[in-house]
Amino acid sequence: MEFFSKGIIYNFMKYARVFIATTLILAFISLVLVFTKGFNYGVDFVGGTVVQLKYEQSAPIDKIRDDLAKDKLFAGALITEFGSPEEIVIRFSTVSDSVAQDIGDHIRTLLKDTGAFDIRKVDIVGPKIGSELRSKGIMSAILAMIGILIYVAVRFEWKFAIASVITLLHDITITLGAIILFDIEFSLDVLAAVLTLIGYSLNDTIIIFDRIREELEETKNTNFSEIIDICVSKTLSRTTITSLLVFFVVLTLYVFGGEIIHGFSFTMLLGVIIGTYSSIFISAPFLTLIGFNVEKYKANIAIKEKNRIEKNKMRSQYEKGTV
Amino acid sequence: MLSGKISYRLVIFVLAIIFGVGYSLPTFLQSDKGAKIALGLDLQGGLHMVLGVQTEEAIKSKVKSIASSIKFFAQSGDIIIDDLKIDEEMLTFTLLDKDEEKKIDEMLKTISGLEVSKESLRYTLSLNDKEKDLIREYAISQAVETIRNRLDQFGLAEPNVSKQGTDKIVVELPGIKTAEDEQRARELIAKAAHLQLMAVDEKRKDRTTTMSPIEAAQYGDVILPDARSEQVKHILKEIPVLDGSMLSDAKVAFSDMHQPVINFTLNSEGAKIFGDFTANNIGNRLAIVLDNKVYSDPVIRERIGGGSGQISGGFSVKEAHDVAIALRSGALLAPVTLLEKRSVGPSLGADSIQASSIALISGFFLIVGFLILYYHMAGVFASFALLVNFILLIAIMALFGATLTLPGMAGIVLSLGMAVDANVIINERIRELLRQGIAVRQAVEKGYENAMSAIVDGNLTLAVSSVILYVYGTGPIKGFAISMLIGNLISMLTAILGTHGIYELLMSYIEKNHSIRFWFGMKKRGH
């Protein structure tokens, strides 16, 4: 079986402006969402308590709500079905700070008339832990990006480094926007998903850049748009296959993984689409936007090559004792 | 027969497979022999807690103990000091007799880390930052040690207590099954276990119910509630005869009435003080106070030598057991508060494992199915490499003693994706060359060569970011980063060395037998 087997070069660059404009609009909308609506942070990040119950029969949500309302600790508690009618989740912002106190016991007493249930999970996160996690998460993401920037700058060229980090920022921004749009609760799993798709998207971009670097070394063509078209087209079947595989794996995770990893798998599904789109349509075209100059790049390579040859010559002369 | 060459690539790959199978077996079989991957609490169920240690309290109590030693020094040396006051971490007093200044100054010099400032004869004392740091550090390591001791004696499987940052403790209790067990564990962790033996103020005992705490303080007394009923109060001398720091052992025993009691033994210093006190106070009562509650106040009938005593007070057997554990392992120097608690019931943990296993296995078969359908034999090799990749990942994680959590599984999914990707890149490169009419042998060689830099750069950028995430991230991010990093390095090994070695072994056979379509799943013939 073969996709894209005819060796056709697709003219991506012709529409580069359209793609970049679309992307900028999407990124802008995402930023607006991030700063206006904001994330629906889970207890992992803001603190609070989540209790997950599983009833032997359908959970009587109204009765649960009434019974919990008897205690003001549960004022404003959110009670929602979780995956199936038997399972419910109770969320509230209060955090008991004593180690010895048990919220599970308390709930068991309050809800004793609602039927037989099993407490599946109790998460209590203090506000201090939550905010620490948030700041450490952001900090490590920024440092990771600086690390990537340095690596790509050293192995490729600084404009490639900028383009790859911009692509990364683009993916993160739009994914975050989509998370808000689809009202996914921002939990640790979702953070893990965002980190994972950053990995995928970065890999996609690097592979296309690697192809461009290779092409630049081999071809006499100085038309950068054409080079990009050739490279993106040549890597297209690899990009498609890998993305499809990842997409289907994540889809099985979404379908069979159950409610527990829905946040993770749904974010991954979104991210794979966004990441694939950006590596094909955004990353390389963006290089032209920041003024990547083929002739200059080639001149640099030539200088480096010349230096290398000269060094070798010097060394061999030195070793022969002629200097 | 296969007449190919056995290259160093193949040798390394085969060694890696042997290593991988050997070290991953204990995990797959869940056997007790050898290192295996532990399941995180989110997967096996259990209790995870982050406790904040209120280290400031340890500093305050240090200041208090300095105050009592100054008081003791002054009293025993007949030095009159006035207005001894503690304000949080500050201590002030006034020396009345200037002639005694030298004595006091010398005494203060013996206390480490103390900063003294004087205005005429008004002393202000505080601890310097270095000493405070030492106290904080000691308080947290003592708390870790104490909690660990308590949980070890509680009889739970593999409790894990560790320090996090400068003021936090992580407690992990896998396999807590019932709500009752959980509650016991939590109470054991939080119990201050502060034992004091205090003299009853016999002179004022009739006024216990009417006296206010402030009035009591004026007489150097303190009013504490009874353990059985909050309404019943006891009036006691504020400075204890003894405290739990002089305890050497505590055990559960049964009284004549078959009630559980706790027998405690004091160390030699404690035994001497206890002996002297009981000898001088026959007929008076001595209260046994645990965590500021009076458990009993027996009348002293005779001098008690040997330094042993008993706490009775209507304990249940379990309670008595837990109190004894807490006493044996010592009091917490600084109280702890709960910052985070995650408890996952065993049923949910099992569901998580089941769901993610189904997803992982079905995902794996999906990939394998696609690879074989698309690349034919090349797909078979790639699938094999993927399987080896997975086994190696398990083996190395087991060797590191890593814990598998849900975010960790995300890391595995990502690294397996990278491994597939590496094989896809290689196969696409080979196909490209075959399409140009290049012979199979050269196409495979050149294909690997061309794919190399993309694979290395792709994997290394991820490795760079996972190292940074590991170093700067917290708990779950760390778990994700470590499995991603290990997976990255392995995928380079299996993709670059593994399948290449197989091709080299089979090359002469590939050149002679079957079509390009059979080996690489594409229509065009290469030769």
Side-chain angles (χ1 to χ4, degrees):
Chain A
M1 209 201 305
E2 286 170 84
F3 300 151
F4 314 111
S5 64
K6 310 251 161 35
I8 296 171
I9 304 301
Y10 300 90
N11 199 344
F12 292 103
M13 287 307 288
K14 197 174 159 191
Y15 305 102
R17 281 162 197 276
V18 181
F19 290 126
I20 289 180
T22 315
T23 273
L24 285 178
I25 293 167
L26 286 179
F28 178 75
I29 294 172
S30 298
L31 281 179
V32 169
L33 280 173
V34 170
F35 288 108
T36 55
K37 193 162 175 244
F39 296 106
N40 174 15
Y41 281 117
V43 286
D44 294 338
F45 293 97
V46 285
T49 305
V50 173
V51 183
Q52 191 181 323
L53 306 178
K54 186 173 188 175
Y55 279 80
E56 281 168 11
Q57 67 295 326
S58 283
I61 289 192
D62 289 333
K63 173 101 174 91
I64 294 167
R65 199 165 280 142
D66 290 346
D67 284 1
L68 285 183
K70 285 174 196 157
D71 189 323
K72 65 175 184 298
L73 186 69
F74 297 98
L78 232 80
I79 298 151
T80 47
E81 200 176 277
F82 190 73
S84 70
E86 289 83 36
E87 278 196 70
I88 59 150
V89 159
I90 306 166
R91 286 159 220 268
F92 51 103
S93 56
T94 338
V95 176
S96 67
D97 62 348
S98 155
V99 184
Q101 218 175 59
D102 186 13
I103 199 76
D105 251 10
H106 196 58
I107 285 178
R108 219 172 265 128
T109 333
L110 276 175
L111 296 183
K112 61 182 186 300
D113 299 330
T114 56
F117 63 84
D118 175 28
I119 296 185
R120 302 256 273 175
K121 189 173 97 170
V122 179
D123 280 358
I124 301 171
V125 181
K128 196 179 149 208
I129 290 276
S131 64
E132 200 176 290
L133 195 63
R134 213 165 16 168
S135 57
K136 272 206 148 181
I138 293 170
M139 193 62 204
S140 52
I142 290 172
L143 286 170
M145 260 183 250
I146 293 173
I148 291 163
L149 202 68
I150 294 169
Y151 182 88
V152 178
V154 170
R155 286 279 296 173
F156 292 77
E157 211 235 280
W158 67 273
K159 279 191 176 155
F160 281 93
I162 291 176
S164 57
V165 168
I166 293 284
T167 311
L168 217 54
L169 284 175
H170 158 270
D171 294 344
I172 296 171
T173 315
I174 295 188
T175 310
L176 293 181
I179 287 172
I180 297 174
L181 195 69
F182 287 101
D183 204 26
I184 300 169
E185 189 183 278
F186 204 92
S187 63
L188 274 177
D189 305 348
V190 172
L191 178 71
V194 173
L195 292 175
T196 310
L197 67 92
I198 288 174
Y200 270 121
S201 158
L202 181 67
N203 185 49
D204 270 1
T205 309
I206 296 289
I207 281 156
I208 292 171
F209 282 4
D210 179 80
R211 199 62 188 241
I212 293 173
R213 180 175 61 180
E214 189 183 316
E215 191 73 20
L216 282 171
E217 278 164 20
E218 285 171 3
T219 182
K220 292 209 161 56
N221 191 349
T222 53
N223 186 334
F224 195 47
S225 293
E226 274 176 26
I227 294 173
I228 289 174
D229 280 343
I230 291 167
C231 293
V232 176
S233 301
K234 277 187 173 172
T235 46
L236 198 58
S237 68
R238 175 259 146 204
T239 311
T240 319
I241 292 166
T242 302
S243 299
L244 271 182
L245 282 177
V246 174
F247 186 84
F248 282 120
V249 169
V250 179
L251 195 66
T252 56
L253 213 59
Y254 182 76
V255 175
F256 299 118
E259 190 71 29
I260 317 152
I261 38 181
H262 263 189
F264 176 80
S265 48
F266 191 73
T267 311
M268 283 283 290
L269 281 180
L270 287 172
V272 170
I273 298 168
I274 296 165
T276 309
Y277 161 80
S278 74
S279 43
I280 297 176
F281 300 108
I282 305 300
S283 61
F286 194 81
L287 276 172
T288 56
L289 207 70
I290 53 174
F292 182 83
N293 188 324
V294 180
E295 276 153 31
K296 216 170 136 193
Y297 181 81
K298 288 191 167 232
N300 276 338
I301 294 179
I303 291 169
K304 269 186 202 156
E305 185 64 15
K306 215 172 114 195
N307 285 344
R308 199 178 59 83
I309 292 168
E310 230 150 66
K311 227 181 195 169
N312 283 346
K313 216 163 119 192
M314 292 256 289
R315 176 159 298 148
S316 72
Q317 278 177 341
Y318 176 79
E319 278 162 2
K320 282 177 197 153
T322 49
V323 175
Chain B
M1 244 338 273
L2 304 177
S3 56
K5 76 173 194 208
I6 293 174
S7 64
Y8 76 94
R9 296 191 176 96
L10 196 65
V11 174
I12 296 175
F13 189 51
V14 170
L15 288 178
I17 293 172
I18 296 168
F19 163 85
V21 171
Y23 282 98
S24 63
L25 270 184
T27 300
F28 286 122
L29 301 176
Q30 283 299 305
S31 85
D32 293 328
K33 281 183 202 138
K36 62 176 179 192
I37 297 182
L39 292 178
L41 293 179
D42 52 352
L43 292 178
Q44 68 162 309
L47 184 62
H48 166 103
M49 284 187 281
V50 179
L51 305 169
V53 181
Q54 293 171 327
T55 51
E56 298 312 309
E57 294 297 321
I59 294 173
K60 281 184 203 164
S61 78
K62 174 77 183 175
V63 172
K64 259 183 216 161
S65 85
I66 292 174
S68 54
S69 54
I70 290 172
K71 201 172 174 185
F72 177 78
F73 178 77
Q75 272 170 357
S76 56
D78 234 358
I79 301 167
I80 303 167
I81 58 172
D82 191 26
D83 205 15
L84 180 66
K85 266 188 196 151
I86 299 170
D87 181 23
E88 296 284 295
E89 293 171 10
M90 266 303 223
L91 182 63
T92 51
F93 66 86
T94 310
L95 180 67
L96 294 182
D97 186 355
K98 197 168 173 17
D99 296 345
E100 308 282 5
E101 197 179 349
K102 220 176 167 185
K103 266 195 202 163
I104 281 282
D105 284 353
E106 244 154 53
M107 184 266 169
L108 292 178
K109 262 183 211 145
T110 62
I111 302 171
S112 65
L114 197 65
E115 266 173 16
V116 182
S117 70
K118 254 192 299 188
E119 207 173 303
S120 63
L121 291 178
R122 180 82 186 153
Y123 283 74
T124 304
L125 312 177
S126 63
L127 294 164
N128 63 26
D129 290 344
K130 202 178 147 214
E131 184 68 18
K132 282 184 190 169
D133 285 346
L134 279 176
I135 293 170
R136 281 193 200 105
E137 214 168 285
Y138 181 66
I140 185 156
S141 56
Q142 189 262 0
V144 168
E145 203 50 42
T146 306
I147 292 173
R148 193 177 288 154
N149 282 340
R150 289 178 184 180
L151 291 172
D152 276 346
Q153 296 180 38
F154 182 68
L156 275 170
E158 307 165 53
N160 178 13
V161 184
S162 57
K163 203 171 111 172
Q164 190 187 64
T166 53
D167 58 353
K168 290 193 216 52
I169 297 176
V170 176
V171 179
E172 301 211 300
L173 303 171
I176 279 221
K177 295 276 187 302
T178 62
E180 196 192 341
D181 272 357
E182 190 194 311
Q183 193 186 342
R184 277 186 70 195
R186 273 187 292 105
E187 280 176 2
L188 205 51
I189 288 166
K191 204 177 250 357
H194 189 44
L195 178 73
Q196 289 169 301
L197 303 183
M198 297 166 106
V200 174
D201 189 345
E202 302 286 353
K203 263 195 280 182
R204 301 189 180 84
K205 65 172 192 256
D206 299 334
R207 295 172 53 203
T208 309
T209 45
T210 53
M211 204 189 290
S212 73
I214 298 160
E215 199 188 346
Q218 284 170 357
Y219 302 116
D221 284 349
V222 63
I223 295 174
L224 293 177
D226 193 272
R228 271 153 295 194
S229 162
E230 286 279 323
Q231 265 74 44
V232 181
K233 306 281 181 196
H234 299 262
I235 185 161
L236 310 166
K237 290 284 181 197
E238 194 185 5
I239 298 169
V241 178
L242 272 175
D243 71 11
S245 61
M246 289 176 188
L247 201 79
S248 69
D249 196 14
K251 279 197 194 88
V252 179
F254 288 90
S255 68
D256 302 339
M257 315 284 289
H258 301 291
Q259 289 294 313
V261 294
I262 297 151
N263 284 338
F264 59 84
T265 321
L266 298 165
N267 63 16
S268 56
E269 191 191 350
K272 187 184 175 300
I273 298 174
F274 195 45
D276 288 356
F277 180 83
T278 46
N280 296 333
N281 288 277
I282 291 171
N284 290 340
R285 282 176 303 155
L286 179 69
I288 294 171
V289 181
L290 185 65
D291 291 340
N292 290 326
K293 281 184 189 145
V294 178
Y295 276 77
S296 57
D297 51 354
V299 176
I300 301 165
R301 308 225 174 272
E302 58 192 346
R303 177 180 183 276
I304 306 171
S308 59
Q310 193 176 72
I311 312 173
S312 59
F315 295 114
S316 73
V317 180
K318 270 187 184 171
E319 256 174 0
H321 186 71
D322 291 350
V323 169
I325 290 174
L327 284 175
R328 271 203 299 275
S329 51
L332 289 178
L333 284 179
V336 292
T337 51
L338 187 68
L339 296 179
E340 182 183 342
K341 180 188 120 177
R342 291 167 187 277
S343 74
V344 174
S347 70
L348 182 65
D351 282 6
S352 300
I353 292 186
Q354 202 193 5
S356 41
S357 301
I358 291 174
L360 213 69
I361 291 168
S362 59
F364 187 80
F365 279 107
L366 198 100
I367 291 177
V368 167
F370 179 86
L371 285 177
I372 295 175
L373 190 73
Y374 196 82
Y375 291 120
H376 297 192
M377 280 311 280
V380 175
F381 300 155
S383 305
F384 180 65
L386 192 63
L387 186 68
V388 173
N389 201 89
F390 182 66
I391 290 170
L392 273 175
L393 186 62
I394 301 291
I396 293 184
M397 284 180 74
L399 215 58
F400 272 98
T403 305
L404 187 64
T405 58
L406 279 178
M409 285 183 102
I412 293 179
V413 170
L414 174 62
S415 64
L416 286 182
M418 292 289 291
V420 178
D421 187 47
N423 281 295
V424 170
I425 293 172
I426 292 166
N427 283 328
E428 287 299 312
R429 283 297 185 124
I430 294 175
R431 278 183 169 192
E432 229 175 89
L433 293 160
L434 288 172
R435 242 177 250 131
Q436 290 168 20
I438 292 170
V440 179
R441 188 180 287 269
Q442 282 76 16
V444 170
E445 283 308 311
K446 193 107 200 309
Y448 272 91
E449 207 176 289
N450 288 346
M452 187 80 110
S453 70
I455 295 171
V456 170
D457 280 334
N459 277 288
L460 284 187
T461 32
L462 275 193
V464 166
S465 60
S466 47
V467 167
I468 292 169
L469 287 180
Y470 183 75
V471 174
Y472 293 98
T474 49
I477 299 177
K478 266 193 197 315
F480 171 79
I482 194 82
S483 52
M484 182 163 94
L485 180 64
I486 295 172
N488 265 174
L489 302 178
I490 296 170
S491 83
M492 281 200 283
L493 176 86
T494 54
I496 296 171
L497 294 179
T499 49
H500 199 171
I502 297 175
Y503 282 120
E504 281 173 328
L505 179 72
L506 299 177
M507 191 43 83
S508 26
Y509 187 71
I510 295 175
E511 282 179 314
K512 283 183 209 114
N513 298 282
H514 303 288
S515 62
I516 290 297
R517 184 177 165 77
F518 175 80
W519 290 107
F520 298 99
M522 58 183 285
K523 283 180 201 115
K524 196 169 181 300
R525 281 186 159 271
H527 324 245

